[in-house]
């Protein structure tokens, strides 16, 4: 009972992983079918999803072993441990919210690595979805970004940058440009994850994974990298 209280059902985690698999492949198939990118884009599916799918399978097996103790002594110890952990809110939330599960991230595929460490980078990770306030009121950022590619501009020079993003190769993405900060949507509660990226252009894929995170100072070089990334799909 104590374990069941702290540990939510794991079926939902498998469903989440399956939805990520489906979304990863679906937007790529749709993009190739429209002729926007080449069929080589589909080759990125396995490098992006294989490692995380494998880690989630191993995670589920480990949790199954943990919640199915082999004898009465181990079961008693497990129940006692959960009872102790339930006394500490941070520990209880860590377990109940499953913050220990493998985070979805990929290091290879349809992305442009930015040289940051795996812990510090946004590239290959799902973009945070804070609540924001804009001309139409308060909404989730995801609702502002739309269903296709998006270019998020976080810079005090946003007006100048938006004009540059109307040119190739950015225009080949058919992306919605969203300014975060002055002159655009405002975060209701600033995200610590985005704090280090105050002067960047962030390219988001339709599945809301970060494909590129480019400093404004390196935007010209970033444009060439994006051009090569798109050309590599043909």
């Amino acid at each position: 009972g104590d374990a069941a209280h702290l540990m939510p059902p794991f079926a939902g985690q498998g469903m989440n992983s399956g939805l990520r698999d489906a979304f990863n492949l679906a937007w790529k198939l749709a993009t190739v079918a429209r002729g926007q990118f080449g069929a080589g884009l589909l080759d990125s599916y396995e490098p992006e999803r294989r490692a995380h799918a494998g880690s989630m399978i191993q995670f589920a097996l480990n949790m199954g072993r943990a919640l199915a103790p082999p004898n009465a002594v181990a079961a008693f110890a497990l129940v006692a441990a959960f009872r102790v952990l339930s006394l500490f809110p941070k520990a209880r939330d860590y377990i109940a919210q499953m913050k220990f599960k493998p985070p979805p991230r990929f290091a290879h595929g349809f992305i442009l690595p930015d040289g940051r460490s795996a812990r510090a980078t946004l590239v290959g990770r799902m973009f945070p979805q804070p609540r924001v306030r804009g001309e139409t009121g308060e909404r989730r950022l995801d609702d502002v970004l739309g269903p296709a590619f998006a270019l998020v501009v976080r810079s005090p020079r946003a007006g100048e940058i938006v004009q540059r993003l109307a040119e190739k190769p950015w225009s080949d993405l058919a992306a919605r440009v969203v300014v975060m900060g002055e002159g655009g949507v405002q975060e209701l509660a600033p995200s610590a994850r985005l704090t280090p990226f105050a002067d960047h252009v962030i390219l988001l894929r339709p599945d809301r994974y970060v494909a590129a995170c480019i400093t404004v100072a390196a935007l010209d070089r970033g444009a060439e990298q994006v051009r090569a990334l798109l050309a590599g799909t043909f």
Side-chain angles (χ1 to χ4, degrees):
D2 296 276
H5 174 70
L6 282 176
M7 293 296 214
F10 292 99
Q13 299 305 315
M15 183 179 293
N16 287 343
S17 184
L19 287 172
R20 291 192 184 104
D21 285 340
F23 200 176
N24 186 295
L25 186 57
W27 76 262
K28 292 173 182 176
L29 286 169
T31 304
V32 172
R34 289 196 302 267
Q36 186 177 3
F37 300 148
L41 176 65
L42 304 179
D43 294 335
S44 65
Y45 170 74
E46 184 170 349
E48 290 179 357
R49 293 300 304 157
R50 185 182 182 89
H52 181 64
S55 66
M56 286 300 295
I57 291 170
Q58 189 59 52
F59 169 74
L61 291 173
N62 291 338
M63 293 311 304
R65 296 188 188 101
L67 295 178
N71 53 58
V73 174
F76 178 82
L78 178 66
V79 171
F82 278 118
R83 283 178 174 170
V84 171
L85 289 172
S86 68
L87 300 175
F88 301 93
K90 288 186 178 180
R92 182 179 63 239
D93 292 345
Y94 181 80
I95 295 174
Q97 297 174 21
M98 301 184 71
K99 295 181 179 179
F100 52 87
K101 70 180 184 293
R105 176 185 175 269
F106 39 80
H108 307 285
F110 191 75
I111 58 172
L112 292 174
D114 59 359
R116 290 174 175 260
S117 68
R119 189 179 185 86
T121 188
L122 283 179
V123 177
R125 296 186 181 277
M126 293 194 74
F127 195 65
Q129 292 300 326
R131 291 197 67 83
V132 296
R133 180 184 293 111
E135 294 180 353
T136 57
E138 294 183 10
R139 292 192 291 171
R140 282 281 183 187
L141 178 62
D142 209 26
D143 296 327
V144 179
L145 296 174
F149 281 92
L151 287 161
V152 176
V153 180
R154 293 174 54 85
S155 173
R157 295 172 282 174
E160 168 196 340
I161 296 166
V162 168
Q163 292 182 0
R164 294 168 66 181
L165 295 179
E167 303 169 356
K168 284 184 172 291
W170 310 106
S171 59
D172 294 331
L173 296 165
R176 177 176 295 181
V177 179
V178 176
V179 175
M180 290 186 68
E182 185 176 352
V185 295
Q186 304 284 336
E187 293 178 79
L188 298 185
S191 169
R193 195 82 180 94
L194 296 179
T195 300
F197 305 95
D199 201 25
H200 284 71
V201 172
I202 303 168
L203 171 58
L204 305 184
R205 310 177 340 167
D207 57 5
R208 292 296 160 258
Y209 277 81
V210 177
C213 190
I214 304 166
T215 63
V216 169
L219 197 56
D220 288 340
R221 181 165 59 87
E224 292 306 312
Q225 292 175 317
V226 169
R227 193 188 310 276
L229 182 67
L230 301 185
T233 67
F234 289 95

